[in-house]
Amino acid sequence: MTDGVHTNHVDGESNGATRMELVPEPDPDLLIDFTKVTVRRSGRRLVGPVTWQVELDERWVVVGPNGAGKTSLLRMASAELYPTTGTAVLLGERLGKTDISELKPRIGLSSAAVASRVPADEKVSDLVVSAGYAVLGRWREKYDRMDTDRAVELLESLGAEHLADRTYGTLSEGERKRVLIARALMTDPELLLLDEPGAGLDLGGREELVEQLGILAADPDAPATVLVTHHVEEIPPGFTHALLLREGGVVAQGLLPDVLTADNLSEAFRQSIALDHVDGRYFARRAQPSGRHRS
């Protein structure tokens, strides 16, 4: 190994020759390091090629229409999906070259797929604390006082401490979202992934969730965060970067104010979009045709 580069020797096929494959050392500041990743299923390209990096302390939002590849990209970032081509490095570990069972506890995930597997009769406090064993449905695992105290603290930080003794099946959609985020934070992850946390919420529930996520984004001790959404109204204050997708490809990426523009949104959603930025929040609507006036 020289100058931060691994040197792998690969045997030639017929003449005994040796070629050199240079694999750069992972950058410890990069939690997500995707290089030209693609995902294909049944001959259809779902994602890519995408090159994307997420650094420590960054808060990213991934925006795009249905079918843009947002959830597939997040599944790759949670080590649940491998790229068809390209290189995916998470927390310094390359997918396909590492023990996923050791990698996954370092990544917190809240998604509809996780929510669908939660038993309706699971007590909220058990649902949160059991993330330490990566199980859904507490059984015979043993937890110490430190674990249970942390579960309560996380619920409290998300305004959900009063739900600790309730069962999951009795919660509203907004309450479930907050509880699942608390669970995703239970292992003190280095990376937090939130897949459409505002989906299914009414206006009040969405605004409560956005407020709580804004508080989390402002916490310097919170992990780097990636939030997937269709709607710019769900972007909490304090988010720093954006990745805008269309049909699996990148329209724009970088600092949030540079990426989230009316022109970029119009390209991604293939219609003319007007965008407002008010009190740290974004609001989008279809633009009025030129010359058309409101009555």
Side-chain angles (χ1 to χ4, degrees):
M1 183 175 68
T2 59
D3 297 329
V5 176
H6 286 302
T7 304
N8 292 337
H9 297 273
V10 183
D11 292 336
E13 292 181 357
S14 58
N15 60 3
T18 298
R19 65 182 176 86
M20 307 279 282
E21 180 185 4
L22 299 181
V23 181
E25 282 273 15
D27 186 333
D29 290 334
L30 294 180
L31 304 184
I32 296 175
D33 188 6
F34 289 172
T35 304
K36 297 181 180 179
V37 296
T38 66
V39 175
R40 292 182 178 275
R41 290 293 181 270
S42 302
R44 179 172 173 263
R45 179 174 59 88
L46 304 181
V47 175
V50 171
T51 295
W52 178 39
Q53 296 177 332
V54 174
E55 296 186 14
L56 292 166
D57 301 324
E58 292 180 344
R59 281 81 169 99
W60 280 77
V61 59
V62 180
V63 182
N66 289 329
K70 302 183 301 299
T71 294
S72 294
L73 190 68
L74 202 73
R75 289 186 63 206
M76 207 183 315
S78 65
E80 292 187 350
L81 183 67
Y82 285 40
T84 306
T85 60
T87 302
V89 178
L90 297 174
L91 310 180
E93 303 291 340
R94 181 173 173 177
L95 292 187
K97 304 289 186 179
T98 190
D99 186 345
I100 296 300
S101 66
E102 294 183 1
L103 179 61
K104 281 193 171 185
R106 301 166 63 193
I107 302 171
L109 173 66
S110 174
S111 68
V114 173
S116 68
R117 300 198 301 268
V118 179
D121 61 352
E122 181 81 339
K123 192 167 78 169
V124 165
S125 58
D126 288 345
L127 173 60
V128 175
V129 78
S130 63
Y133 277 87
V135 296
L136 286 167
R138 185 170 175 178
W139 192 43
R140 295 180 179 176
E141 316 87 47
K142 299 293 185 182
Y143 302 94
D144 58 29
R145 180 65 180 270
M146 185 179 298
D147 292 326
T148 55
D149 285 350
R150 175 166 174 77
V152 171
E153 289 172 2
L154 287 170
L155 287 168
E156 184 176 3
S157 72
L158 290 160
E161 68 278 6
H162 61 291
L163 305 174
D165 293 326
R166 295 263 302 274
T167 57
Y168 185 76
T170 68
L171 303 183
S172 70
E173 192 65 25
E175 290 168 339
R176 291 182 180 188
K177 302 287 188 182
R178 283 182 281 167
V179 167
L180 288 173
I181 294 171
R183 174 184 166 85
L185 290 166
M186 182 65 200
T187 60
D188 195 19
E190 298 164 59
L191 177 64
L192 176 64
L193 307 176
L194 307 174
D195 190 9
E196 298 188 31
L201 299 183
D202 61 19
L203 177 59
R206 183 194 74 185
E207 289 303 296
E208 289 178 1
L209 181 64
V210 168
E211 180 181 9
Q212 295 295 334
L213 291 178
I215 293 171
L216 183 65
D219 183 351
D221 295 325
T225 302
V226 177
L227 181 153
V228 165
T229 182
H230 296 104
H231 307 293
V232 301
E233 293 80 6
E234 296 175 0
I235 301 174
F239 271 60
T240 59
H241 292 71
L243 175 65
L244 188 56
L245 299 177
R246 186 188 74 189
E247 296 180 350
V250 177
V251 173
Q253 64 173 301
L255 293 172
L256 184 62
D258 297 334
V259 172
L260 213 62
T261 66
D263 286 345
N264 286 340
L265 288 172
S266 297
E267 181 180 351
F269 287 87
R270 291 187 169 176
Q271 58 180 291
S272 184
I273 300 294
L275 182 69
D276 297 315
H277 187 217
V278 182
D279 296 332
R281 297 279 302 280
Y282 290 89
F283 302 90
R285 65 189 187 281
R286 188 169 184 174
Q288 294 271 346
S290 179
R292 180 177 174 182
H293 301 283
R294 293 180 182 176
S295 57

